[in-house]
Every structure is written in C-alpha cells, then in structure tokens.
C-alpha cells in the first residue's frame, strides 16, 4: 500500500513537471529571454572585441575552453536554448497526442506540428555544429596536388576582376579535386566554397595570388629551372635548391643553395636575385635570374558534422509549410 502511495505521489509530481515544461507561457518567457540575452551578448562582444578574438562562426566551444565571468550571458543563453528546445518538443508532442486521441486524420492539420519538429531538429543541429565544428589551419594550394580534408586538390587557373578603384570584385579559382582515383573540376571563391562529403566538409578560400613554383638559375650560359630540393649538375659537382626566401623576410628574393663537391663536401650559399649578385660555385658562374610563379590559393577546411541534420530540418520545414498552406487553401475554399 505504501509503495502504491509513493508511486502515485511520484506520478503526480512528474505530471506537474511535465505541465510546467510544456507550458506555452514558459515558451513565451524563454523566447523573450533568449532575445534579450542575444542583444546583451551582441553589445558585450561589440564593446569587448579582444575578449572574443578566437571566436569564429558558430563555434561555441570557445566559451567552454575560455571560461570567464564575462561570458555569463552565453551560459544562461545556452541553458535557455536547451529549455526552449525541450518546451517546443513537449508542446509539439502534446499537440500530436491530443489530435490523435480526437481521431483527427486530416494530414494538413499536422502541418504546424511538423514545422515545430523541424525547429527542434534545428536547435539540435546548431548544438552539434557549435560544439563539434572544426576549422583546419590554412594550406597553400597551387599547381601540384595537395592533400586537404581527405582529398587532393590543385589549382588549374585563376581569374580575377576589379572595381574601378582597384578593389577586387570577383575571384574565381578553378581547381581539380581527386579522391579515391576519381577526379573532377570545381570552382572556388570567397562566397563559393568547394563542398566535400555532401557538405560535411567545405574548402574555404582565405587568400589568393601567384605563388613561387620554381627558380631560374643561370649556370654560365645554361638555364636551369629548379623547384625546392631539385638538383642541377655543375661541372664536377651538384647544386640543390634548399629554400627560397621572399620579401618581407629579405629585401629581395634570395635562394639558398646547397653545393656538393666530388668528395661529398657540402657548402651552403645564399644567392640574391640579379645578374650582379652571381657567385662562382664549382668553377661556374651561378646567377639567380628569375622566379617562375603559378596561380595559387590559401584555403582552410571547415568540418561541420551537423550538415546531415540540416537536410532533415529542411525536409520537415518544407513538408510542414506545404501542409499549412494546403490547410489555409482548404479553409478559403470551404468558406
């Protein structure tokens, strides 16, 4: 008997909690709270930009790795959004249960509930995206295959257009993407990322320009086009391009050469560009004559595991809105 009394008390207590969490008044209060906190947060970030220097996009893990009293508005907002999601889910569930018990079989009458389900999934997607989205460090991509985001990519062409004042208007980098032996072409721009894995990963353009691909060395009367680590024979020895230094690191471009003699002795030489800066190596006059450049881009890969849920959200919102519109049209026809 005592167990039954305790069970009934627990059941009654759970019903009260359920009634509170599915209350429409609670939803309205949380909605205004979320709006107010977003306004407060925007003002704080506007007047304290240094405190949010590492924040980018929808990444909310920043607030948990940089715990500060200044972020109190976000922590309250985070809890409010969770309560908002629970409230919306319970309200939607309660509405569907009531309609089912009343024997409502007209599908258009469930349109609003389906839209609400899409809203709940949106909140979940934002939570997953905010906590688990990552952006990899920038990588330079030029005319050779470069591994980024689990695929290989290279730039085949670069087209730019500018406004009359010289500001860039449109940047288009034509790229080739290769994965698992399959190669295809795509276009990359500032507002046009290359999508990978159905959008879960996207390649974002950070910068563009011409990238040094090789150096032109004049060996006496002979021309050698060499990339980094490539070797050129010079009389009885060899020279290897070890590195290339560009301004502002040096005032002028400088190439670092490693020369190897017949006895395997090595010597390094720093050779500035220009005919007058030539030096004798292994009995030959070596001149750093020119730099060959190719179009290139600086990119970073952003990973967002919530993208599949976004497609589910679009599906529910679309179906729900179609049903709502059909219901409105039905009412207009009946009247």
């Amino acid at each position: 008997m005592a167990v039954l009394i305790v069970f009934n008390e627990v059941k009654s207590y759970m019903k009260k909690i359920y009634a509170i969490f599915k209350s429409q008044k609670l939803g309205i209060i949380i909605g205004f709270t979320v709006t107010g906190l977003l306004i407060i947060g925007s003002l704080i970030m506007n007047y304290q930009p240094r405190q949010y220097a590492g924040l980018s996009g929808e990444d909310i893990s920043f607030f948990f790795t940089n715990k500060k009293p200044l972020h109190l508005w976000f922590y309250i907002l985070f809890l409010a959004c969770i309560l908002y999601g629970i409230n919306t889910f319970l309200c939607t569930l309660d509405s569907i249960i009531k309609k089912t018990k009343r024997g409502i079989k007209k599908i258009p009458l469930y349109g609003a509930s389906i839209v609400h389900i899409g809203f709940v999934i949106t909140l979940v997607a934002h939570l997953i995206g905010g906590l688990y989205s990552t952006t990899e460090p920038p990588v330079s991509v030029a005319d050779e295959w470069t591994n980024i985001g689990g695929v290989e990519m290279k730039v085949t062409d670069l087209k730019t257009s500018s406004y009359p004042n010289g500001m860039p208007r449109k940047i288009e980098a034509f790229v080739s993407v290769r994965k698992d032996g399959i190669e295809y072409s795509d276009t990359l721009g500032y507002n046009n990322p290359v999508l990978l894995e159905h959008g879960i990963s996207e390649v974002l353009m950070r910068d563009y320009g011409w990238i040094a691909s090789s150096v032109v060395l004049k060996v006496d009367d002979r021309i050698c086009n060499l990339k980094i680590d490539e070797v050129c024979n010079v009389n009885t020895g060899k020279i290897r391009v070890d590195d290339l230094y560009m301004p502002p690191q040096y005032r002028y471009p400088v190439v670092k050469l490693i020369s190897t003699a017949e006895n395997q002795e090595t010597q390094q030489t720093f050779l500035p560009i220009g005919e007058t800066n030539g030096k004798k190596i292994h009995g030959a006059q070596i001149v750093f004559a020119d730099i060959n450049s190719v179009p290139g881009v600086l990119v970073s890969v952003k990973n967002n595991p919530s993208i599949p849920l976004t497609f589910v959200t679009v599906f529910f919102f679309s179906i729900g809105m179609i049903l709502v519109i059909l219901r409105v049209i039905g009412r207009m026809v009946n009247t």
Side-chain angles (χ1 to χ4, degrees):
M1 187 67 180
V3 175
L4 183 60
I5 293 173
V6 173
F7 176 77
N8 289 332
E9 288 180 355
V10 172
K11 185 178 179 181
S12 175
Y13 183 69
M14 294 298 292
K15 284 184 177 180
K16 289 180 181 179
I17 295 177
Y18 176 76
I20 292 173
F21 276 97
K22 77 176 183 64
S23 170
Q24 292 185 357
K25 291 181 180 179
L26 177 64
I28 293 172
I29 293 172
I30 296 175
F32 280 109
T33 302
V34 168
T35 303
L37 288 169
L38 287 172
I39 294 173
I40 293 171
S42 298
L43 292 174
I44 292 175
M45 287 191 288
N46 184 61
Y47 289 103
Q48 298 287 335
R50 292 184 179 180
Q51 301 295 330
Y52 299 91
L55 180 63
S56 62
E58 67 272 16
D59 179 19
I60 62 174
S61 61
F62 167 85
F63 294 97
F64 298 104
T65 55
N66 299 275
K67 301 181 182 69
K68 295 180 182 179
L70 185 65
H71 303 332
L72 180 62
W73 66 270
F74 172 80
Y75 304 131
I76 300 174
L77 175 65
F78 184 78
L79 294 175
C81 287
I82 292 176
L83 285 175
Y84 200 22
I86 294 173
N87 176 262
T88 304
F89 173 75
L90 293 178
C91 286
T92 304
L93 180 63
D94 186 67
S95 175
I96 293 173
I97 291 173
K98 286 181 179 179
K99 288 176 182 178
T100 304
K101 287 182 177 180
R102 285 160 52 190
I104 297 177
K105 297 182 179 180
K106 292 183 178 180
I107 296 179
L109 295 177
Y110 290 89
S113 298
I114 294 175
V115 172
H116 290 158
I117 292 173
F119 174 72
V120 173
I121 298 174
T122 300
L123 291 177
V124 175
H126 278 294
L127 177 62
I128 295 174
L131 290 175
Y132 300 106
S133 291
T134 59
T135 302
E136 298 179 9
V139 177
S140 295
V141 181
D143 61 335
E144 295 185 350
W145 291 109
T146 304
N147 192 352
I148 57 169
V151 302
E152 292 180 299
M153 178 181 290
K154 68 177 180 179
V155 178
T156 57
D157 197 7
L158 181 66
K159 291 185 178 180
T160 64
S161 59
S162 304
Y163 291 104
N165 61 1
M167 292 292 292
R169 177 171 57 183
K170 188 176 182 180
I171 313 299
E172 285 186 316
F174 298 92
V175 299
S176 292
V177 182
R178 185 170 65 186
K179 183 178 181 181
D180 300 329
I182 300 175
E183 183 178 336
Y184 62 92
S185 300
D186 209 331
T187 305
L188 177 67
Y190 279 118
N191 296 314
N192 182 34
V194 173
L195 301 180
L196 307 173
E197 299 180 20
H198 306 290
I200 294 178
S201 299
E202 54 183 359
V203 181
L204 306 174
M205 179 186 286
R206 300 299 185 189
D207 203 353
Y208 69 97
W210 292 85
I211 299 176
S213 63
S214 63
V215 298
V216 179
L217 297 183
K218 186 178 178 182
V219 183
D220 287 335
D221 295 326
R222 181 164 54 97
I223 297 296
C224 293
N225 288 296
L226 302 174
K227 295 183 178 181
I228 301 296
D229 289 331
E230 288 188 342
V231 176
C232 177
N233 294 320
V234 179
N235 294 332
T236 58
K238 295 180 179 180
I239 57 173
R240 177 175 61 86
V241 177
D242 187 65
D243 208 345
L244 174 64
Y245 304 100
M246 300 291 288
Q249 190 172 7
Y250 284 82
R251 186 175 180 183
Y252 303 105
V254 175
V255 64
K256 179 182 178 182
L257 303 175
I258 303 296
S259 57
T260 306
E262 281 185 307
N263 58 5
Q264 299 303 313
E265 289 186 3
T266 61
Q267 181 180 356
Q268 65 179 18
T269 303
F270 291 88
L271 193 63
I273 196 169
E275 190 80 27
T276 58
N277 296 316
K279 295 182 179 179
K280 284 280 187 179
I281 301 177
H282 298 316
Q285 181 71 8
I286 310 297
V287 175
F288 179 13
D290 201 358
I291 299 174
N292 291 322
S293 300
V294 294
V297 292
L298 185 68
V299 301
S300 59
V301 179
K302 180 179 179 181
N303 302 300
N304 189 346
S306 68
I307 294 299
L309 280 179
T310 303
F311 291 119
V312 176
T313 297
V314 171
F315 172 78
F316 275 97
F317 268 115
S318 301
I319 297 299
M321 290 306 299
I322 290 172
L323 293 177
V324 170
I325 293 172
L326 290 176
R327 182 182 177 186
V328 173
I329 293 175
R331 282 182 176 179
M332 292 174 62
V333 171
N334 292 332
T335 55

